[in-house]
Amino acid sequence: IYSSINGKPSAAIVLKQSYGSNATQVIKDVKSKLEELKKSFPKGMDYEISYDVSTFLDASIEKVVHTLFEAFVLVAIVVFLFLGDWRSTLIPVLAVPVSLVGTFMFMQLFGITLNLITLFALVLAIGIVVDDAIVVVEAVHAKMEEENLSPRKATKKALKEISGAIIAITFLMSAVFVPVAFMSGPVGMFYRQFSITMATSIILSGVVALTLTPALCAVILKNEHGKVRKKTPVNVFIDAFNSAFERTS
């Protein structure tokens, strides 16, 4: 493109990324190549990058990663406040990364890369995939409290009752995103990545809720219902929080 910069004639070159390439790596390679070519420029000739997408791209991805971490921490805090037990909190905290990391495998299988859209889908997925694990943990706690069972027996009995519900809600929620993957055109290309990431993470969360989560419940949980808890500052705060929540609800 014929143009001028600072009142002097210049030739503006617009570089566009090809589909499937890594934007950050492309920009890095272009800058490296320009530095290499600069050595052979005629006297008085120089180059300047007037618009660098990598600045916006890096800032956006960094922000999404921060949001991903914040969402993960908030989920752990909320679960801890309502369940009031670090053992119960540990189980969803372990289940969420398994579902998310498993999603990466299917993203690679479908040729989907990590970008703003897929990272945003993973942020939303955290709040969804944790639900199945929480449902299992709460059901096990209910069985231990109502029937005074050991964690292993409570897990086995709770799983028989809620397995159908977990399977149903997993397919129901994934059915919302799967049709979006078949959209055509440029918009469909973007939404396809979002829908596959979301649907995969939801399905994997259901699988984890029926396999890993029950195993963790049987091994990690303890039946402490009916026992007097120690009056630690954390326990006092949790009891006060739950009492206030029950009064408002």
Side-chain angles (χ1 to χ4, degrees):
I1 303 172
Y2 292 104
S3 58
S4 62
I5 181 169
N6 299 327
K8 296 179 181 180
S10 67
I13 303 175
V14 181
L15 299 178
K16 294 187 177 180
Q17 174 190 358
S18 60
Y19 178 74
S21 59
N22 187 304
T24 304
Q25 188 62 42
V26 168
I27 295 170
K28 183 179 178 181
D29 291 343
V30 167
K31 290 180 178 179
S32 177
K33 191 65 178 177
L34 283 171
E35 282 297 317
E36 180 185 334
L37 294 174
K38 185 179 179 180
K39 299 175 183 178
S40 60
F41 281 178
K43 187 177 180 181
M45 180 179 174
D46 201 358
Y47 78 90
E48 180 178 326
I49 299 176
S50 57
Y51 181 68
D52 188 357
V53 182
S54 64
T55 305
F56 168 78
L57 187 66
D58 293 341
S60 300
I61 292 179
E62 183 181 359
K63 189 65 179 176
V64 174
V65 171
H66 284 173
T67 306
L68 193 67
F69 176 75
E70 291 166 1
F72 187 75
V73 172
L74 286 173
V75 164
I77 293 174
V78 171
V79 172
F80 181 71
L81 284 175
F82 281 95
L83 295 181
D85 180 16
W86 69 267
R87 293 176 181 272
S88 303
T89 306
L90 185 61
I91 294 172
V93 168
L94 292 174
V96 171
V98 172
S99 300
L100 296 182
V101 172
T103 304
F104 295 151
M105 181 181 69
F106 285 92
M107 287 171 62
Q108 186 175 12
L109 183 65
F110 286 101
I112 299 173
T113 59
L114 274 179
N115 50 53
L116 293 180
I117 295 174
T118 53
L119 283 172
F120 176 63
L122 290 174
V123 171
L124 294 180
I126 285 182
I128 297 175
V129 300
V130 75
D131 288 345
D132 292 336
I134 293 174
V135 167
V136 174
V137 173
E138 286 183 334
V140 174
H141 269 287
K143 288 299 176 185
M144 288 192 298
E145 184 177 9
E146 294 171 2
E147 303 180 21
N148 194 26
L149 298 175
S150 65
R152 185 175 180 179
K153 291 181 179 178
T155 301
K156 190 175 181 180
K157 194 165 186 179
L159 207 59
K160 288 181 179 179
E161 296 180 2
I162 64 172
S163 294
I166 291 176
I167 294 172
I169 195 171
T170 299
F171 281 113
L172 179 64
M173 294 187 70
S174 59
V176 175
F177 298 99
V178 170
V180 182
F182 297 95
M183 291 179 63
S184 58
V187 177
M189 186 182 298
F190 287 108
Y191 280 108
R192 176 178 174 270
Q193 300 180 57
F194 180 84
S195 64
I196 290 177
T197 304
M198 286 294 296
T200 302
S201 62
I202 291 171
I203 293 173
L204 284 176
S205 72
V207 174
V208 169
L210 296 174
T211 54
L212 177 64
T213 304
L216 291 175
C217 288
V219 173
I220 296 177
L221 292 183
K222 285 186 177 181
N223 188 356
E224 296 182 348
H225 294 285
K227 298 180 182 179
V228 179
R229 294 200 300 178
K230 296 180 180 179
K231 292 294 182 180
T232 62
V234 176
N235 289 338
V236 171
F237 174 78
I238 291 173
D239 292 339
F241 176 83
N242 289 330
S243 298
F245 180 79
E246 289 174 1
R247 287 195 299 269
T248 55
S249 59

